[in-house]
Amino acid sequence: MFVRSLVGSDTQLNQKSYYEASVQRPAALPALQETLDVDAVVVGAGFAGLSAALEMAQRGLSVVVLEAERIGSGASGRNGGQAIVGYASGQGPFEQHLGAADAQRAWDLSLEAIDLIDTRIALHGIECDRVNGYVYVADSARKAQELHEEMEGLKRRGIAVDWAEGADLPRLINSPRYVAAAREQRSGHLHPLKYALGLARAAQAAGVRIFEHSPVTGLQRGATLVASTARGQVKARFGVLAGNCMLPEYGPRVAPEVTPRIMPVGTYIVGTAPLDPELCARLIPRNAAVCDNNFVLDYFRFSADHRMLFGGRVSYTTRTPTNLQAVMRQRMGEVFPALREVPVEFVWGGFVDISMNRAPDFGRLGDNLYYLQGFSGHGVALTGLAGLLVAEAIEGQASRFDVYARLKHRRFPGGPLLRTPSLALGMLWHRLRDVM
């Protein structure tokens, strides 16, 4: 998931994403300007923080959420909108660290994460353009074999898979770039900012107080946590760190011991002008979200108003690539030649927080401070589940949270100065493997 936007001095990127341009936000909520004493404080008003706040409030706790910018202004309002079963890491780290039984439990929890989205949409009346259907694609014979093995694994876990290759491929995706594709119905897509704003409304209706433009400047630990902002404080029995407080420039203020376990990786999306609905239906039948299985991947889908939202072109240096719009447009045209000349109206980007093994990193700092990070591109679904599990743990039922807390995570090598260059070299090797 994106953990903050890439704007400011970079003129290549619009100040507004397509998502921001397609919603009517309510008036900004006030910044914190007082001292509050509550049961729980949540840092970050994205999917994970809002989910945790909502679940805790429904359990009778008083909750305050502190957001540095606006609700959903980072990861949760800017991502690709793809809600995917499973984990970016695959099942490997779960089987290695947890054993077969709990690895299966983790898989089942990933399915629950998808179901939880639909439950909340129905329960809270959230209009967010939800669509079921996901297509995985491969662009070479070697990647097709890998994809086939992955899909066989999905079928063994009870997920129905529709496979296509060769002349049958246009039934799932009409693109000359790919040699094989597979479709499943559990995953899908949505408008992430609409969903984030809907979660915020549900949390507020449950009694949660949300303060925008209230970055946490310090966090005092102990039996009572004290989260400080520029003009106020929140004292709480429990705390949840659920946002860009984990970024390298921010994490040392609140969680220096876990910040080195994630790395910010830039990823970017372009949004076209609205297209002919018949063209959309021909290119991606049944309106699925799509992602390839390269290590450095492309992901794309159509919006509810028939725009192509095409994402990819990652950066491991925290700098926006040069000629970004032209590069993204060229890549989109390689996938869909019919879109080579369509106008591009939006370009935006942000950082995805990846862990070393690409498995989610949830845990505790002491007895009463919880953190949620490392969603590694699978955050649309897993963040909501994370919020539910941390609320269960605070309530005293921690067995499901501890499935994730028992995963072992390593720091990225190189320390603060060399982590990013080291990752860039490693990712270059993976990029070369994708094209070999």
Side-chain angles (χ1 to χ4, degrees):
M1 74 171 183
F2 295 173
V3 290
R4 68 174 170 87
S5 62
L6 294 171
V7 293
S9 61
D10 193 335
T11 58
Q12 291 196 73
L13 295 184
N14 290 353
Q15 293 289 337
K16 272 192 175 182
S17 69
Y18 161 72
Y19 302 127
E20 289 284 358
S22 57
V23 301
Q24 183 64 50
R25 279 186 177 270
L29 296 171
L32 180 69
Q33 300 188 59
E34 57 189 308
T35 296
L36 298 175
D37 197 333
V38 295
D39 293 318
V41 60
V42 177
V43 180
F47 291 158
L50 293 170
S51 174
L54 172 62
E55 293 289 341
M56 288 188 289
Q58 289 174 336
R59 287 162 171 77
L61 276 65
S62 55
V63 184
V64 162
V65 177
L66 300 176
E67 166 56 42
E69 297 179 15
R70 301 289 313 271
I71 292 166
S73 62
S76 298
R78 288 180 174 267
N79 62 72
Q82 302 196 359
I84 316 167
V85 300
Y87 303 92
S89 62
Q91 286 292 102
F94 297 90
E95 294 168 352
Q96 178 184 356
H97 299 155
L98 307 181
D102 274 349
Q104 179 61 47
R105 192 179 186 192
W107 171 259
D108 293 340
L109 284 168
S110 85
L111 300 182
E112 182 179 335
I114 298 289
D115 294 338
L116 184 60
I117 290 174
D118 293 320
T119 297
R120 286 176 172 160
I121 288 172
L123 183 62
H124 303 295
I126 302 174
E127 298 289 339
C128 61
D129 308 333
R130 178 78 167 98
V131 178
N132 286 98
Y134 201 86
V135 171
Y136 308 78
V137 292
D139 61 9
S140 70
R142 178 175 64 86
K143 300 303 289 188
Q145 180 60 37
E146 293 177 7
L147 180 61
H148 191 268
E149 293 171 1
E150 181 184 352
M151 294 301 104
E152 289 299 307
L154 283 186
K155 289 195 284 188
R156 287 193 296 272
R157 297 185 181 97
I159 302 293
V161 174
D162 183 7
W163 178 265
E165 57 185 314
D168 189 37
L169 197 61
R171 187 169 54 81
L172 299 185
I173 185 167
N174 194 347
S175 167
R177 185 175 181 87
Y178 305 116
V179 301
R183 180 186 174 103
E184 50 93 354
Q185 282 294 107
R186 290 300 297 271
S187 304
H189 57 99
L190 51 74
H191 188 303
L193 184 54
K194 288 181 180 179
Y195 184 59
L197 294 173
L199 284 180
R201 289 191 298 271
Q204 289 173 303
V208 175
R209 298 185 65 183
I210 303 174
F211 295 91
E212 295 184 317
H213 301 296
S214 300
V216 172
T217 57
L219 180 62
Q220 178 182 321
R221 302 185 194 177
T224 297
L225 302 169
V226 183
S228 298
T229 69
R231 298 184 178 181
Q233 288 185 334
V234 179
K235 300 178 180 180
R237 294 189 294 135
F238 301 101
V240 179
L241 303 178
N244 55 358
C245 52
M246 300 305 175
L247 280 173
E249 69 268 28
Y250 190 25
R253 304 179 194 171
V254 293
E257 58 268 69
V258 297
T259 300
R261 299 214 299 250
I262 63 167
M263 178 68 72
V265 174
T267 183
Y268 310 90
I269 303 176
V270 294
T272 69
L275 305 170
D276 183 342
E278 292 185 3
L279 174 63
C280 298
R282 185 165 70 251
L283 297 181
I284 307 179
R286 294 185 287 162
N287 196 24
V290 185
C291 185
D292 68 36
N293 66 337
N294 292 324
F295 192 85
V296 180
L297 52 81
D298 292 327
Y299 53 93
F300 47 91
R301 65 186 183 90
F302 289 114
S303 65
D305 58 351
H306 308 294
R307 300 172 186 268
M308 168 56 70
L309 306 181
F310 191 94
R313 190 59 180 92
V314 298
S315 168
Y316 299 94
T317 64
T318 71
R319 296 183 63 86
T320 300
T322 57
N323 302 317
L324 177 62
Q325 180 168 322
V327 170
M328 294 290 290
R329 186 189 185 100
Q330 177 183 351
R331 196 154 184 90
M332 180 177 65
E334 291 170 356
V335 174
F336 296 117
L339 303 184
R340 281 178 176 154
E341 302 303 323
V342 302
V344 169
E345 295 187 349
F346 299 94
V347 185
W348 73 98
F351 291 122
V352 59
D353 63 327
I354 66 170
S355 63
M356 177 73 82
N357 61 6
R358 298 206 170 194
D361 182 10
F362 309 161
R364 301 172 184 79
L365 302 173
D367 296 328
N368 59 348
L369 181 61
Y370 295 77
Y371 67 89
L372 307 168
Q373 66 176 14
F375 295 98
S376 302
H378 276 232
V380 173
L382 291 179
T383 46
L385 176 75
L388 169 61
L389 299 188
V390 79
E392 290 177 352
I394 287 172
E395 191 180 33
Q397 303 296 322
S399 62
R400 303 202 314 161
F401 182 86
D402 286 340
V403 169
Y404 297 92
R406 287 166 48 211
L407 289 171
K408 296 178 176 63
H409 290 276
R410 292 186 296 160
R411 295 184 173 202
F412 280 90
L417 296 179
L418 297 179
R419 287 167 64 205
T420 296
S422 298
L423 181 65
L425 288 173
M427 295 305 104
L428 176 61
W429 182 82
H430 281 288
R431 187 189 296 272
L432 291 173
R433 284 196 75 243
D434 282 342
V435 301
M436 289 175 62

